[in-house]
Amino acid sequence: MDLALRLRDAANGHLARYEPLVLLVAPLLALLAARALHAAASTVADRGLRAVLVALAMAAIKLLPGVSGYIDAEKRKVVDQLQSGGTSTKSSLRTELPSLGLSNEVINNLETLKARDVNWQGKCSGTVYIPGSECGNHFDLINKAYSMFSHTNPLHQDVFKSVAQLEAEVVQMTAALLGSKETSSGGQICGNMTSGGTESILLAVKTSRDYMRSKKGITKPEMIIAESAHSAYDKAAQYFNIKVRRVPVNKEFLADVKGFKRCINGNTIMMVGSAPGFPHGLIDPIEELGELASRYDICLHVDLCLGGFVLPFARKLGYPIPPFDFCVKGITSISTDVHKYGLAPKGTSIVLYRNHEIRKHQFVAVTEWTGGLYVSPTMAGSRPGGLIAGAWAAMMSLGLNGYMESTGHIMEVSKKIQRGIEDIPELFVIGKPDMTVVAFGSDLVDIFEVNDIMSSKGWHLNALQRPNSLHICVTLQHTGIYEEFLRDLKDSVNTVKANPGPISGGRAPIYGAAGKMPDRGMVRELLVEFMDSSC
């Protein structure tokens, strides 16, 4: 007790030399300094010291007289080049209603506009998954189904009971493909239809966040993704205020399980695995991620947006497909698109959950609205019943035999394309493709210049980065034209090898510069400027 009194007297004697205001302000300044230091340390930990220093340097440079204006002018030039140097369609947009209605003439106007589209048949990576032209039998079928239900809205279940049944059946048939009938799934797989893969992913992330907040009280959520995970996870993180921990892929371009484990902490709500990933068509080690999720009691979402309507059938056909569905312990949710290899109309996807307890956190219920009690299952309130009917019609018309047949065709063509690319000495295939996406790069020629030559031949491929590469997502549109693709690719490589350098109007310099630009913030600004001028 005497010691405590002596310490108190000594402290009071020491502090008596200072003004009361100083004693009041000093702790507040120390607290602010500590918070600033913590924020700086967190930023460096998240983005890396190099990225932070580059951003600070660029911010300082922009303060110099004239520099900011010069950078804005250069960005405008790049945006114009990204738009292929053409006049923006905004200049010819109709901005007011016609004084007199056009009646059936509108169909002629639509046909005129449609005629300006590029020839997409067979020469687009992904994009259109249904074979043939839009006048083909399958197109006719789903269009008729859509028109029959174009006036319906599943928001009004009491009125459109048919659409509610169609959605339930599409969800259950899809769940059965992904393990719901297996004992290891738990027998409670449930879900909803959405407008596309991005909405399915957004809902899975939002649901995981709210589920883990209810279960563990996590209020500063974090999720762990591989750098190959779809950009929709970054969108979800921005929308729902979730911190992203991005892990580099391993030497096989797969999610690095050890890297994931190092990122797990008390704020981790979920991890993401892809089957396959969009860039390279490779299936992440889902079983290992599932074990990790189970051990740490966190959510695991599997992105099957590309693979959901291929992998189950490819496995039945004997292809060596690693585990990917609800039979894997630890998976809490799956997203899969019906409008890709499910051959349904655009705007149809499904999000599935391990059980109803998890899915309940997807819903929004409002009790205090003067408009009455309100509850909604997905992000949209009103939803197009016609798309649900189109998806149901596609699945029912094809059946197991139809999907087996189409999967056989695209898997066979994918392997032929892979072998054909491997036979081109200047190119290499990235990883060991598990499905229908084949990515390739080169150490001998500029792959983006190759892409420009391919574009001049009518092909529309996807440009990738880290490493610089291209990919083709093989669909039924390619089964009769893949040999032409390989011939054009080989010819394009030879052209670039003989005449290196960008072609007039090509985008190779932009893609190349963007990949090397250390200030990723500037690249982000370019993308935003491009989008703002395009829509």
Side-chain angles (χ1 to χ4, degrees):
M1 187 68 177
D2 290 341
L3 178 61
L5 290 173
R6 287 198 300 270
L7 290 174
R8 185 194 68 179
D9 292 339
N12 287 336
H14 178 73
L15 294 173
R17 295 178 293 172
Y18 299 96
E19 292 288 335
L21 182 61
V22 173
L23 296 177
L24 179 65
V25 171
L28 296 176
L29 291 177
L31 179 61
L32 291 174
R35 288 176 65 91
L37 186 62
H38 180 267
S42 298
T43 301
V44 171
D46 292 342
R47 300 174 56 189
L49 180 60
R50 182 172 179 270
V52 171
L53 292 176
V54 168
L56 289 173
M58 288 303 301
I61 290 172
K62 289 178 181 179
L63 294 176
L64 297 174
V67 172
S68 182
Y70 173 78
I71 291 175
D72 288 342
E74 290 301 308
K75 282 196 296 186
R76 183 69 258 170
K77 291 179 183 178
V78 173
V79 170
D80 288 342
Q81 192 170 350
L82 282 172
Q83 293 176 327
S84 302
T87 304
S88 172
T89 54
K90 288 185 177 181
S91 62
S92 58
L93 290 180
R94 184 184 298 277
T95 59
E96 294 180 347
L97 283 170
S99 299
L100 297 175
L102 302 181
S103 189
N104 290 335
E105 187 183 338
V106 296
I107 300 301
N108 295 330
N109 290 353
L110 289 173
E111 290 175 345
T112 300
L113 286 171
K114 184 181 177 184
R116 300 176 188 172
D117 292 342
V118 300
N119 181 16
W120 49 265
Q121 293 181 35
K123 289 203 167 185
C124 293
S125 172
T127 312
V128 179
Y129 292 78
I130 300 172
S133 70
E134 65 265 40
C135 298
N137 291 335
H138 191 76
F139 277 106
D140 287 343
L141 174 77
I142 60 176
N143 288 341
K144 184 175 181 179
Y146 180 91
S147 66
M148 288 174 63
F149 290 84
S150 62
H151 62 289
T152 65
N153 181 356
L155 179 66
H156 305 288
Q157 292 190 22
D158 56 330
V159 178
F160 303 116
K161 297 178 181 179
S162 57
V163 176
Q165 178 177 335
L166 294 177
E167 177 176 11
E169 291 183 1
V170 169
V171 169
Q172 289 303 313
M173 287 190 290
T174 304
L177 294 176
L178 301 177
S180 71
K181 301 296 184 181
E182 303 298 325
T183 304
S184 55
S185 74
Q188 293 190 52
I189 308 301
C190 53
N192 294 90
M193 290 191 69
T194 72
S195 61
T198 293
E199 186 186 355
S200 292
I201 288 169
L202 291 174
L203 286 171
V205 173
K206 182 264 183 194
T207 302
S208 299
R209 182 198 66 176
D210 293 356
Y211 175 62
M212 294 302 287
R213 181 170 55 200
S214 170
K215 186 177 183 180
K216 289 188 173 183
I218 296 174
T219 57
K220 295 182 178 179
E222 300 181 7
M223 67 175 169
I224 305 169
I225 67 174
E227 62 182 10
S228 56
H230 197 277
S231 54
Y233 297 98
D234 288 278
K235 181 181 285 189
Q238 292 182 36
Y239 282 2
F240 305 133
N241 195 27
I242 298 172
K243 182 177 180 179
V244 173
R245 290 194 177 273
R246 197 184 318 275
V247 180
V249 293
N250 61 22
K251 293 180 180 179
E252 287 76 39
F253 294 91
L254 302 174
D256 181 1
V257 178
K258 292 181 179 179
F260 273 47
K261 183 179 179 181
R262 286 192 294 270
C263 290
I264 295 175
N265 59 42
N267 288 322
T268 303
I269 59 167
M270 67 183 300
M271 301 183 298
V272 173
S274 302
F278 170 82
H280 311 125
L282 310 176
I283 298 176
D284 287 332
I286 303 300
E287 266 192 321
E288 295 177 54
L289 292 175
E291 292 173 4
L292 206 57
S294 297
R295 188 188 316 165
Y296 289 93
D297 194 21
I298 56 179
C299 294
L300 172 61
H301 178 76
V302 176
D303 189 338
L304 274 163
C305 288
L306 267 175
F309 281 82
V310 173
L311 295 180
F313 309 111
R315 183 166 55 188
K316 288 179 181 292
L317 290 169
Y319 286 93
I321 305 297
F324 59 87
D325 58 19
F326 280 111
C327 294
V328 176
K329 183 181 178 182
I331 294 177
T332 50
S333 57
I334 285 176
S335 55
T336 185
D337 289 354
V338 199
H339 65 206
K340 290 188 173 76
Y341 293 104
L343 308 185
K346 291 298 182 185
T348 50
S349 178
I350 293 173
V351 58
L352 297 169
Y353 297 97
R354 171 76 65 175
N355 55 51
H356 291 270
E357 183 58 34
I358 300 174
R359 185 178 68 154
K360 287 177 183 177
H361 294 273
Q362 173 182 291
F363 304 152
V364 172
V366 181
T367 61
E368 306 307 312
W369 180 36
T370 55
L373 300 177
Y374 178 87
V375 63
S376 175
T378 60
M379 300 193 78
S382 292
R383 293 184 291 149
L387 291 179
I388 295 172
W392 185 89
M395 294 177 69
M396 292 294 288
S397 67
L398 288 163
L400 176 62
N401 65 312
Y403 283 120
M404 292 286 285
E405 183 179 350
S406 63
T407 299
H409 288 323
I410 56 176
M411 288 294 289
E412 181 181 356
V413 170
S414 298
K415 298 306 177 186
K416 288 180 178 178
I417 288 177
Q418 179 183 341
R419 290 192 293 269
I421 293 172
E422 290 171 340
D423 288 339
I424 301 175
E426 294 82 5
L427 302 180
F428 60 84
V429 172
I430 295 176
K432 299 177 181 179
D434 290 301
M435 209 183 81
T436 54
V437 173
V438 183
F440 53 95
S442 177
D443 294 324
L444 302 176
V445 294
D446 188 323
I447 199 67
F448 295 140
E449 291 179 10
V450 172
N451 190 38
D452 283 342
I453 301 297
M454 289 292 284
S455 295
S456 70
K457 297 176 182 291
W459 293 96
H460 299 266
L461 307 180
N462 294 93
L464 315 174
Q465 60 179 350
R466 299 176 184 175
N468 291 349
S469 49
L470 308 174
H471 89 205
I472 181 169
C473 178
V474 181
T475 74
L476 291 170
Q477 288 282 332
H478 300 118
T479 55
I481 201 173
Y482 72 92
E483 291 175 326
E484 180 183 344
F485 168 77
L486 291 172
R487 284 196 301 270
D488 285 348
L489 181 59
K490 186 174 183 179
D491 180 63
S492 297
V493 169
N494 290 335
T495 299
V496 172
K497 189 175 181 180
N499 303 282
I503 65 173
S504 177
R507 296 183 177 181
I510 296 175
Y511 283 123
K516 296 175 182 177
M517 195 176 294
D519 183 10
R520 307 312 291 172
M522 185 170 292
V523 178
R524 191 178 301 109
E525 289 173 8
L526 281 172
L527 292 174
V528 172
E529 290 284 350
F530 170 71
M531 181 55 61
D532 187 53
S533 64
S534 303
C535 61

